[in-house]
Amino acid sequence: MEEAAAFTALPMEIYNKQTGDDGNPMNDSNNGKEPVYTMAGILHFLQTEWTKFEMERSQWDVERAELQARIAFLQGERKGQENLKHDLVRRIKMLEFALKQERAKFHRLKFGTEPPGFTAADLAKPDLGAEDEGAPVSEPAAAELTEALQQQQPAKRKDGREVIKQYLQEMGYNEVITDVKQARVEQLLGSPSAAASSTAAYPAGPASGDVKDSGGGGKGRRTIEEQLSSMGINVDDEGSDEESGSSGGGGPTVTEEEQVIAEFDFLVNQQEQSEWAMDEKTLSKMADFRKERVRAPKRSSGGGGSGGFMDEPDRAGSPPPETEPTGPYPTLDDPEIRLAVSGGGGGAAGSGGGSEEEGFRSALGLNLGDLQDITVANESDAGTTAECRRTWAIKFSLRSHFDSVRSLFFHPTEPALVTASEDCTLKLWNVSKAPSEQPTKKGMSVDLEPIHTFRGHAGPVLCACIADQLLFSGGLDGTVRVWGLPPLSMDPYDPFDASLVGPVLTGHEDAVWGLAASRPASGAPTTLFSIGADRTLRAWRPSQPAEQRLLSCRQLPHSPTSLGLLPADPGKLLVSLQSGQCLLMDAETGQVIARLSEDGAGPANAAIAHPAQAVCIAAHEDRRIRFYDMNSGGLAHSMVAHLDSVTSLAIDTNGLYMLSGSHDSSIRLWRLDDRTCMQEITAHRKKFDEAIHALALHPSKSFMASAGADGLAKVFV
Amino acid sequence: MASAALASSPPDGSAADPQKIIRRNLPGTSRAKWSNWPDQSFDEMDSTLTVQQYIQQLTKADPSNVDLILNPPEGQDINVWKYEHLRQFCMELNGLAVRLQAECRPDVCSQMTATEQWIFLCAAHRTPMECSAIDYTRHTLDGAACLLNSSKYFPSRVSIKEASIGKLASICRRVYRVFSHAYFHHRGVFDAFEEETYLCRRFTVFVMKYQLMTKEILIVPVLEELGLGNESTVGDSTVSASSGSPASKGESSSASETEA
């Protein structure tokens, strides 16, 4: 507006001047120098003036835009730093909390009692009101306990530190901390001088970091510590009795600090990468990180994340509350931090560890599950994604069988797979081989040739199992055959090696439908279990001479369909029956420990046991998957899982994911904690009314395989 | 028969049609009930593997009814029909190979021979090799399995590439040598196997019917037993044709091998 006013005023001035001149023609002639005003001259003058002002105006516009951009940049930066600080503070608190948990655990283990700070009320996660009304432990008692605690302090603290160190190392952050990063964090945490220079001197950051050894770093560290302690959340949480530790800035604290800071690396990196759009980027990244954390499966079978945990993604995803940053300290508008401060104050006032603990607990809304989740998320960042796998994609089509593939089994350690087919053969495949002559096209699976074909059964081969460098197979002909495993480098057209054909275990009077091998103890020979349509469960010792091979033969109430050893307890067998029941049996005595069944359940086609929990999962002909509690024998859950009968199940070694195959031609991937389907793969064609017979997961490598009635086996990665 | 099939269906049946027969070998099925379901006419089969299903159904019902088994249903693509039959033959030949494995030792049958006149070289290798009989059998069956399942030559089981039809004849010629070796050197094994499966008879009629092999090289005289062998001198004539020095024998057979 100002510019416009100035602009309009100008022509008036000229006009006045002009009229003035017109009014005194005599003066003009006196001067002699006085220009002669012509219409053209005036217009020219007006035009030049006009363009000059226009140009100036556009310059101002540009300047204004620049300044606005600058403001936006600075605001964005501020927000990013607020977020970062927010996160750092929370992480420190979480670590502290973990430390406390560990101390409490240690105390429990050592003295067999609940530590004084940990009461039932504490574990029940009291709300804020209850806490304010009074500590659950009376004052004198609390003081006494605090004293006792203080005496145990040194040892406890050391242990706690060790535990935290281990945690951090597990997260993949050990000694690879660079000074640069540390200096960055110091800047971010806001030692005033650094903060002032940080915005201007971003590129100069590393350089200043390099000189850190000359004392700046140490000072910086101390600054952080001071700030932390002033926030009431100093690293050694017992405010009063830890005075020496925190104020001195002693050795052990510093090393911990390093590690803690190292953990924040990724945040610092974000800071580096994002210059202009930092605000958005940081936010979205943080949001992603949170999401991943939420998605990341829980290691612990325990309670897992509760309310507080669920709140986190929201908080991270949305911008922090719009408050004026008053300095390096966290804003008191943030409820979390305010609570933390008050809790810390209580601790300092000497009212005992209890209230402080509670303060933290309620302030953080965290529990141990969170920390473990963080660990998992960090590991997935580091690249060990085996248990964090989301979906599978086909890699190979194993086309060499002439008829339905009935069973498959992965080598326990090698990337090898054996398939058993109704065409009377078993084939061994090396699934690590990259067929170089056939480049993998997108969406196309690659053919692979088997490295060996095992011929021996006089009828369809129904089951296979590898243990101890031996391959076992059972067929419709009622025999169990033992084979040696050739080296994976073998050429399929090498001369016949008779040593690969092992003994034949005869005894079953009907088709053999399931095999499982166990090694009772180190060095002891393998025991093989087999089930047959003659309703028997037999145990074999294949290494013995012919007449001593059969160890035992036990009758089963119905025709068995599948057999497995409990991964958690190899002394127990899980047998599924055509009657729909599953039996948990003692491998040694053959005693039935538990009968798992539901009235009206269709034939059970397969049953597997959870690797960590006492849960049995059974695939039924009536399209359902049933979950049984093996301790109580009760049905835990039952769900319709496919459009047709469920034939096979496979569970990953961590017990997080499960795969199911069905005669509806599809494979489904399930997340076990909430039993949701995460992926469906249509894999095989139908022959008669059969489609998928078996699934297998490699125990240590990232392979999945499916066996189809169409004579194909497919390998997924 | 029907009750057996119904027993193998789920108790609640298929949601759409409780009367539907489920043709399925459930885990735990006994030998007696294996594939023991009512026959289905070719038109009723609706899967993509109908030809294989149909052939297996006929074969299981009566392996000796050669003409019925080899008679294609109306409107069937003849190349797919040949291809699926050859798959079935190779699959069943695994049974003969298993029996040979027990008797045909590499030290005894160090060469793939049939009668005294024929030595076959194994074409599974880069340069044809004189593999022992059992290795020849294994390699030939493995090679046939790979070729018949190759996604390059036989990407589909519903239609066969025109260019790949020639492969069928060469596979036939090679796998036939397993029969001939068994017949001339392990007659007991051959007879017992033939008694059960009629495989050689089926195969011989098959290759004759579709002209995949010439009469001259069909040296196992099963045709005579069927009453089709009009000349009893088939074997003799081939012998005389290929008789000569051992070197020339090798050459002639290797030539026949490598042409594939």
Side-chain angles (χ1 to χ4, degrees), chain A residues 89 118 127 138 166 206 245 320 470 504 517 533 549 559 572 579 598 604 619 697 711:
Chain A
V89 168
F118 271 76
D127 60 7
S138 64
Q166 278 176 6
L470 290 175
V504 182
R549 275 185 203 130
S559 193
K572 287 177 187 159
S579 64
E598 189 198 12
L697 277 167

Side-chain angles (χ1 to χ4, degrees), chain B residues 9-86:
Chain B
S9 66
D12 67 338
S14 167
D17 181 9
Q19 294 304 311
K20 197 183 163 199
I21 296 162
I22 306 285
R23 291 178 167 79
R24 193 174 282 170
N25 291 311
L26 286 185
T29 302
S30 65
R31 226 174 343 217
K33 290 183 181 169
W34 179 266
S35 298
N36 192 6
W37 48 65
D39 285 350
Q40 199 176 14
S41 76
F42 184 74
D43 296 331
E44 280 172 22
M45 295 181 182
D46 55 357
S47 75
T48 48
L49 305 173
T50 43
V51 185
Q52 187 189 21
Q53 287 180 24
Y54 183 66
I55 293 170
Q56 287 185 345
Q57 182 175 296
L58 293 174
T59 311
K60 184 173 164 42
D62 181 7
S64 66
N65 196 344
V66 179
D67 289 333
L68 180 67
I69 294 170
L70 293 178
N71 183 33
E74 216 167 295
Q76 174 58 44
D77 181 324
I78 208 69
N79 287 325
V80 175
W81 181 251
K82 286 192 273 188
Y83 169 74
E84 285 294 344
H85 260 296
L86 193 51

